[in-house]
Amino acid sequence: MRNHSAVREFVLLGLSTDPYIRPALFVLFLLVYLLTVVGNSLMLFVIAADSHLHTPMYFFLRQLSFLDLCHSSVTAPKMLENLLSEEKTILVESCLAQAFFVFATGGTEACLLAAMAYDRYVAIGSPLLYSQVMSSQLCVGLVWLSWGLAIADALLNTLLAVRLDFCEDQTIPHFSCELSSLFPLSCSDIAANFILLLCSSVVHFFGTLVMIVCSYGRIVSTVLRVSSSTGRSKAFSTCLSHLTTVILFYGSGFISYLLPVSGSPLEMVFSLQYSLITPMLNPLIYSLKNKEVKAAVGRMIRKHF
């Protein structure tokens, strides 16, 4: 084996090297992670327990909550550990595994958001046929398709990255492992890896974004034909939560991937929003202005207390 292929660990620089700031960051992001776990777990429980929420929209929302739990749990525990540790090391195999799961969960969420946009279009454009079009078989199929495409995409990129040889520079200027952050550390030719990652991003993420934009374009066209201002307002309000989630997810995700891997504060902010803040906010976005979810919570409270 060549000398540079003997590298067994990387060093994750994390959010800060200041020993006085790191404890405060640990407390802050531990709280963020706990809120993410509690909020999404409650959303999963409420939707499963209340029969009024057993509809396609809430079926997809339940999947989104599960994905947010997975996505944040891929990066948060290691980030929190490194905030209290002096070594900040991660095995190469563990780093590649983390990169795989980040890619897989993020890709699945992109596909799921596209499926949710289509669900909103059918609900507004063809309300009388909604239950027939959005059958349980179609909803389950869309979720399996989302997972399947994302895992296959992540597997292809990760398997190609496994073949890379890494140089003596082991430092990753980030709080988590992502494929794009590993390329600068490689002594191998990364042209094939870069092209595959670029194609995957264009097809997977931009492709789903195009589907979302098309769905909302048709939603707007349908709503504008509604004569009643009350009807238009009600139709748009049903899409507001999903549209907010789409903006947060794609906005922070695209910017964090487009920025060069430098460990700059701006890059860290967008990566944190993409990995931790958005999963924490999604349960709030879908519950605070959602009368059905609030009514379900009220029924549960009255039933048990």
Side-chain angles (χ1 to χ4, degrees):
M1 295 178 68
R2 295 183 296 273
N3 289 336
H4 56 255
S5 64
V7 171
R8 303 301 301 161
E9 292 181 334
F10 294 129
V11 177
L12 289 168
L13 290 184
L15 299 174
S16 175
T17 57
D18 191 325
Y20 298 101
I21 294 178
R22 279 161 45 196
L25 291 175
F26 174 83
V27 172
L28 173 62
F29 288 108
L30 177 62
L31 180 61
V32 168
Y33 180 57
L34 290 175
L35 288 174
T36 301
V37 172
V38 171
N40 285 287
S41 298
L42 282 175
M43 188 66 76
L44 285 169
F45 178 72
V46 169
I47 294 173
D50 197 296
S51 59
H52 296 85
L53 302 182
H54 292 176
T55 64
M57 173 182 170
Y58 291 103
F59 171 78
F60 288 125
L61 181 55
R62 189 179 176 187
Q63 305 304 317
L64 181 65
S65 294
F66 176 71
L67 264 173
D68 284 337
L69 275 175
C70 295
H71 191 66
S72 59
S73 297
V74 170
T75 55
K78 186 61 180 177
M79 183 191 74
L80 292 170
E81 177 192 336
N82 285 347
L83 284 171
L84 297 181
S85 173
E86 295 297 330
E87 293 184 352
K88 304 180 186 299
T89 57
I90 183 170
L91 291 173
V92 172
E93 294 82 1
S94 300
C95 191
L96 288 168
Q98 188 182 63
F100 167 80
F101 285 112
V102 167
F103 201 108
T105 53
T108 304
E109 187 157 341
C111 293
L112 188 64
L113 289 173
M116 294 173 76
Y118 177 70
D119 170 73
R120 291 299 81 208
Y121 162 67
V122 175
I124 293 173
S126 306
L128 298 179
L129 300 174
Y130 178 66
S131 59
Q132 296 178 19
V133 175
M134 299 304 298
S135 63
S136 58
Q137 292 86 353
L138 177 63
C139 293
V140 171
L142 288 173
V143 170
W144 278 112
L145 182 63
S146 299
W147 277 104
L149 288 174
I151 290 174
D153 202 3
L155 195 60
L156 283 173
N157 280 274
T158 307
L159 287 177
L160 195 60
V162 167
R163 303 175 61 183
L164 295 175
D165 293 315
F166 295 102
C167 305
E168 293 181 1
D169 183 10
Q170 307 170 34
T171 303
I172 299 176
H174 212 281
F175 60 84
S176 66
C177 292
E178 296 183 9
L179 290 173
S180 57
S181 64
L182 298 181
F183 294 164
L185 306 182
S186 176
C187 298
S188 308
D189 182 8
I190 62 168
N193 300 75
F194 180 77
I195 291 172
L196 179 60
L197 184 60
L198 181 63
C199 292
S200 298
S201 300
V202 169
V203 173
H204 206 115
F205 290 95
F206 283 96
T208 53
L209 182 60
V210 167
M211 288 189 280
I212 291 172
V213 171
C214 290
S215 294
Y216 272 100
R218 301 180 79 173
I219 287 172
V220 171
S221 175
T222 301
V223 171
L224 290 179
R225 292 199 297 268
V226 177
S227 58
S228 168
S229 60
T230 304
R232 288 196 298 270
S233 177
K234 184 177 180 181
F236 278 127
S237 66
T238 62
C239 302
L240 184 60
S241 297
H242 177 261
L243 191 58
T244 304
T245 300
V246 167
I247 292 171
L248 287 173
F249 177 81
Y250 280 94
S252 57
F254 279 145
I255 292 173
S256 65
Y257 272 96
L258 288 173
L259 287 173
V261 182
S262 61
S264 66
L266 184 62
E267 181 193 355
M268 290 291 185
V269 167
F270 285 114
S271 293
L272 283 169
Q273 182 180 334
Y274 173 75
S275 303
L276 293 174
I277 306 302
T278 299
M280 180 191 70
L281 292 177
N282 280 343
L284 296 175
I285 293 169
Y286 277 96
S287 61
L288 290 179
K289 292 189 176 182
N290 191 309
K291 294 180 180 179
E292 292 177 326
V293 172
K294 288 192 286 188
V297 173
R299 285 191 291 269
M300 289 181 60
I301 293 173
R302 288 192 297 271
K303 181 180 179 179
H304 293 90
F305 300 99

